[in-house]
Amino acid sequence: MSKFDEKVALYKKFMDDRNLRSNTELLAAVTKGLGPSIYKKDAETVSGSDPKELATVKNNFLIKKLGLPDTAALDEGIEEVMERIGKSERNKYRACVYYMLVKKFDKESVYGF
């Protein structure tokens, strides 16, 4: 199993352990889109309590990557995803957060789904 496949399996297990249903192929596509950042401990996770980090998720992923307009719905969507993963969860894997945001905003088409 490649290192990439190991990461996808880790993220899939993370989602399964929290009863968050996921499509493995879409999760792999979102993970692949993150590039080498998934192999860096700090870049691999999202801090749900850091406003700067959440702004990065909003601006770089939701607006630039997914092409969503900058509205209050984006902040609400991020907040909802953080709640579903669990505020007390220390490791909010970026791939899982982004996957859930893709599903939340029905943007699977960005990844060819």
Side-chain angles (χ1 to χ4, degrees):
M1 185 182 277
S2 71
K3 284 196 179 292
F4 177 79
D5 291 337
E6 288 174 11
K7 286 293 186 180
V8 172
L10 171 71
Y11 303 148
K12 177 76 173 142
K13 181 177 178 348
F14 177 86
M15 305 259 313
D16 290 346
D17 288 349
R18 286 150 189 82
N19 294 319
L20 301 169
R21 293 185 23 213
S22 62
N23 173 315
T24 306
E25 289 80 27
L26 180 57
L27 181 58
V30 171
T31 302
K32 184 173 220 129
L34 291 170
S37 69
I38 63 171
Y39 305 109
K40 297 179 181 130
K41 188 73 174 146
D42 189 47
E44 181 183 32
T45 58
V46 173
S47 170
S49 59
D50 181 0
K52 202 170 134 194
E53 176 79 23
L54 298 177
T56 299
V57 170
K58 179 179 171 182
N59 294 322
N60 292 354
F61 185 69
L62 295 177
I63 296 172
K64 289 181 185 171
K65 176 74 176 174
L66 300 186
L68 295 168
D70 188 359
T71 64
L74 300 186
D75 295 313
E76 291 164 11
I78 292 169
E79 181 65 27
E80 181 182 313
V81 165
M82 294 301 160
E83 288 288 334
R84 286 191 62 207
I85 291 174
K87 289 275 190 186
S88 62
E89 177 60 55
R90 292 194 50 124
N91 291 324
K92 292 178 185 72
Y93 291 111
R94 189 172 303 276
C96 298
V97 170
Y98 284 13
Y99 171 88
M100 292 173 70
L101 289 167
V102 166
K103 295 296 280 182
K104 165 93 179 124
F105 291 105
D106 295 319
K107 288 301 219 167
E108 293 91 338
S109 61
V110 170
Y111 293 96
F113 287 84

